[in-house]
Amino acid sequence: MAGCRRLSGAGLREVLGPAQGLLFDCDGVLWAGERAVPGAPELLERLRRSGKATLFVSNNSCRSVAELERRFSRLGFRGVRAEQVFSSALCSALFLRQRLLGNGGSDGGPGRVFVLGGEGLRGEVRDAGLRLAGEGELGSGDAEPVRAVLVGYDDQFTFAKLAQACGYLRDPQCLLVATDPDPWHPLSDGQRTPGTGSLTAAVETASGRKALVVGKPNTYMFDCIVERFGVDPSRTLMVGDRLETDILFGKNCGLSTILTLTGVSRLEEAQAYMASDSAAAKDLVPNYYVDSIADLIPGLDE
Amino acid sequence: MAAAGGGRRCRRLEGEAARAVLGAAEALLFDCDGVLWRGEAAVAGAAEALGRLAAAGKRLCYVTNNSSRTRGAYTEKLRRLGFPPAEPRHVFGSAYCAARYLRQALPPGAAAYVLGSAALGAELEAAGVPHLGPGPAALPGPAPADWARAPLDPAVRAVLVGFDEHFSYAKLCQALRYLQRGGGAGCLLVGTNRDHRLPLEGGAAIPGTGCLVKAVETAAEREAFIVGKPNRYMFDCVVSEFNIDPARTIMVGDRLDTDILMGNNCGLTTLLTLTGVTTLEEVQGHQESDCPARQSLVPDYYVDSIADLLPALGD
């Protein structure tokens, strides 16, 4: 079982030295709201100069990769390219493209996707070559069937949309996919806002179906990373702030994990999982932790 | 009589057995949708059957998970469809029972934030429970950041989730804020029922209250207290009003996982009618299973329709 050891001093060099690359979660790791975590931009710059690959894997399904690229720049992170960024919005679109367009799709064409989510998510689905239900239709005559319902972060979610999703899901061939399982997200004032997980629970309950969840802790986003970059898990570190998603994702993908304490999870929670008897709890324990990712800087060469 | 410790046989209720079981009963509790009526159409013969039961001096009560009607609306529907006269006190809807629960569970002056219908609001009003929330969300701005800054009512000490056609992310957001306030300890989370779907004519269905309860529970990472069947709170309300004896009471319903399960758990005799959502094959599946939880879904008796009780109630 992972030991949840503070990473500092000589330990930093021992762990960072051999690493070829690092995967970073974004919210609560690189930034909190509109503020970069102090030292985070410098860390990424130092990693680049050390020749280590940096990739970003985020469950946030609001933003398109293009928006995220602009966000990195706006918050002071230099040189981050869109191809380094794997959001659950992008990966959900890739997943749907694979299932609906790949292998020739099903008879009758790829069909449409009913998206519960914002414009960032909708854009990624369109960019993947899929058509959205409710767009460009001339009326009930243009009846390409809806072959997937995609649940993302939808701050315009309503009972009517829930009912509409259920109508499509009466067809057992229609997929139910969720961008991520997160039950809530922190706001800068310490309050919480509901996450995709809560909306997915409503759709699952109404439809009697279980959603295929693209985001962390499931490993599909890592498959997307490997396909694009050919990463070696044994030489890659996962850095995140949420035990139930980031750290479990790392464990599931065979990566060593570092918990940073600038986000959702508290050290006490990691320690409680470590003390628990349950096997499942042990998978939520990180190998290492730091107070902030800026603490990693001394582990890199000058 | 109800079989002790499971092993219920789901026998067709007819002939001598029907006469004996109905004769011994002092009270009957009826679910409504799928038992007495479907939509606006009464089940043929149901009104006569209840009329004869009433004439025989049986106490009749109506126990429904539907949270979008008041007790008054139910008595009016019973009257309209020709059932024996009923007063609101005979009707135990989940809206009314949720209001009773909150009146007893909340400190004086405390309010409830409600995801629910005007009817749920009306029952809370009648019970003297201050509340806010029914209807579309009153949004102080277009974005979630605005909603999270809207002032919270300091009196709110409970979130109540019922059937809510105005359910939205904004309301879910408000519910979560109340549940999280003060570290989460001081706010109750109550749901009227967990029904997944409300069946419509023709096989379609709309999402049920259970979906909305699950959304709130998931966001808040806690479990709601559920008022409705199969939990026993609504039965406790019936007992407190009429002092019935479970051993002499029959629960009549069309759903195994709500009506029959509650009846079995409360020690009632349970009677399944097939005019609603359940088929005999489903019951047989549970009967043949080894799983004790599935066994507790099996009723003592069944009928194709409650009109089948008429011969046993003849003079």
Side-chain angles (χ1 to χ4, degrees):
Chain A
M1 181 188 64
C4 194
R5 291 194 298 279
R6 179 186 281 281
L7 199 53
S8 60
L12 267 174
R13 294 188 160 277
E14 279 163 24
V15 171
L16 288 179
Q20 286 173 343
L22 286 81
L23 304 189
F24 289 93
D25 176 44
C26 300
D27 300 296
V29 177
L30 305 178
W31 54 65
E34 284 301 306
R35 295 181 55 244
V37 165
E42 189 193 340
L43 171 70
L44 293 196
E45 179 57 32
R46 295 284 296 274
L47 283 167
R48 205 172 58 83
R49 282 198 258 132
S50 300
K52 304 210 187 279
T54 53
L55 298 174
F56 306 95
V57 54
S58 170
N59 271 3
N60 190 313
S61 63
C62 303
R63 299 188 181 99
S64 65
V65 165
E67 286 171 78
L68 274 171
E69 197 185 22
R70 286 193 292 276
R71 185 179 177 82
F72 272 100
S73 173
R74 192 171 72 244
L75 295 187
F77 296 88
R78 301 273 156 255
V80 174
R81 300 178 320 280
E83 61 174 11
Q84 293 168 263
V85 180
F86 293 82
S87 71
S88 66
L90 168 71
C91 294
S92 298
L94 294 175
F95 179 81
L96 286 172
R97 181 174 70 185
Q98 211 172 16
R99 294 291 292 263
L100 297 183
L101 292 175
N103 310 318
S106 65
D107 47 291
R112 295 171 292 149
V113 181
F114 180 62
V115 177
L116 294 162
E119 194 44 45
L121 180 60
R122 304 167 74 82
E124 292 288 9
V125 175
R126 269 188 235 109
D127 288 351
L130 295 160
R131 288 183 54 204
L132 273 60
E135 292 187 354
E137 281 155 33
L138 304 172
S140 57
D142 180 11
E144 241 194 295
V146 171
R147 296 212 185 274
V149 169
L150 176 61
V151 186
Y153 174 82
D154 185 6
D155 61 28
Q156 304 300 311
F157 187 87
T158 59
F159 185 87
K161 291 166 85 172
L162 173 62
Q164 197 179 357
C166 289
Y168 296 131
L169 290 167
R170 284 175 71 193
D171 173 3
Q173 298 302 311
C174 181
L175 299 177
L176 173 57
V177 182
T179 56
D180 68 279
D182 297 358
W184 53 267
H185 300 285
L187 297 172
S188 45
D189 62 359
Q191 294 189 98
R192 296 180 180 179
T193 195
T196 305
S198 64
L199 306 182
T200 306
V203 179
E204 288 182 321
T205 304
S207 63
R209 307 268 297 269
K210 285 298 284 175
L212 298 160
V213 180
V214 169
K216 302 171 283 182
N218 292 348
T219 57
Y220 184 75
M221 294 219 283
F222 189 66
D223 296 343
C224 295
I225 291 171
V226 166
E227 182 164 333
R228 193 181 280 177
F229 288 110
V231 159
D232 175 0
S234 67
R235 304 285 296 275
T236 306
L237 303 171
M238 173 69 203
V239 184
D241 71 307
R242 197 159 200 165
L243 296 169
E244 296 81 11
T245 50
D246 303 318
I247 302 307
L248 183 54
F249 172 77
K251 175 78 169 67
N252 288 342
C253 302
L255 313 171
S256 292
T257 53
I258 303 175
L259 174 71
T260 174
L261 298 176
T262 46
V264 165
S265 295
R266 309 266 66 82
L267 183 59
E268 298 70 49
E269 291 165 45
Q271 290 165 337
Y273 283 131
M274 198 158 71
S276 157
D277 291 328
S278 114
K282 310 256 191 248
D283 285 348
L284 301 174
V285 179
N287 295 100
Y288 310 105
Y289 75 92
V290 290
D291 291 321
S292 146
I293 60 173
D295 297 351
L296 298 175
I297 294 174
L300 299 169
D301 299 326
E302 283 301 320
Chain B
M1 297 310 296
R8 293 182 177 81
R9 308 227 332 258
C10 192
R11 287 168 294 173
R12 180 187 283 279
L13 190 62
E14 58 189 350
E16 265 317 302
R19 262 180 277 277
V21 169
L22 294 173
E26 288 172 350
L28 290 94
L29 312 187
F30 290 92
D31 176 46
C32 301
D33 300 293
V35 177
L36 306 181
W37 56 64
R38 281 177 297 239
E40 275 301 306
V43 166
E48 287 113 283
L50 267 67
R52 293 196 199 171
L53 286 163
K58 312 295 180 189
R59 167 81 66 202
L60 305 182
C61 293
Y62 307 92
V63 183
T64 172
N65 273 359
N66 190 313
S67 65
S68 18
R69 288 213 183 82
T70 60
R71 295 186 297 163
Y74 267 95
T75 56
E76 172 49 32
K77 184 163 182 174
L78 286 162
R79 187 200 63 74
R80 189 166 70 245
L81 295 184
F83 288 89
E87 296 162 51
R89 63 191 288 256
H90 297 117
V91 179
F92 297 83
S94 66
Y96 164 67
C97 293
R100 269 184 70 141
Y101 177 77
L102 285 176
R103 187 182 65 204
Q104 148 229 322
L106 284 173
Y113 176 71
V114 180
L115 298 165
S117 61
L120 186 50
E123 292 287 21
L124 288 166
E125 176 106 23
V129 177
H131 61 280
L132 60 148
L139 298 176
D146 304 313
W147 310 338
R149 282 194 288 268
L152 292 179
D153 188 319
V156 167
R157 301 285 291 278
V159 168
L160 172 60
V161 186
F163 183 76
D164 185 7
E165 58 181 352
H166 293 288
F167 182 84
S168 66
Y169 183 87
K171 296 178 79 172
L172 175 60
C173 211
Q174 281 298 91
L176 182 59
R177 292 176 72 209
Y178 280 119
L179 290 166
Q180 286 298 119
R181 185 169 59 170
C187 190
L188 301 176
L189 173 56
V190 181
T192 55
N193 60 299
R194 286 203 186 278
D195 296 47
H196 295 177
R197 264 172 287 208
L198 273 50
L200 304 174
E201 295 300 319
I206 56 173
T209 304
C211 311
L212 311 183
V213 172
K214 250 302 188 259
V216 178
E217 288 181 314
T218 302
E221 294 179 311
R222 56 184 282 192
E223 224 179 283
F225 175 82
I226 301 296
V227 166
K229 301 172 284 185
N231 294 1
R232 61 176 301 143
Y233 184 76
M234 291 220 288
F235 178 67
D236 293 341
C237 289
V238 178
V239 168
S240 78
E241 183 73 28
F242 293 113
N243 198 26
I244 57 173
D245 176 2
R248 289 170 126 23
T249 301
I250 305 175
M251 174 74 208
V252 187
D254 71 310
R255 286 192 75 107
L256 301 179
D257 63 356
T258 51
D259 307 317
I260 303 305
L261 182 55
M262 183 187 82
N264 287 344
N265 286 345
C266 295
L268 314 181
T269 300
T270 47
L271 172 59
L272 172 71
T273 172
L274 300 178
T275 45
V277 299
T278 304
T279 65
L280 209 48
E281 288 67 42
E282 273 175 69
V283 186
Q284 282 157 357
H286 296 310
Q287 260 178 306
E288 285 154 19
S289 105
D290 288 327
C291 169
R294 292 184 69 182
Q295 287 286 334
S296 55
L297 299 176
V298 178
D300 294 299
Y301 303 103
Y302 81 94
V303 286
D304 290 316
S305 153
I306 59 177
D308 296 355
L309 302 175
L310 283 166
L313 298 169
D315 26 33

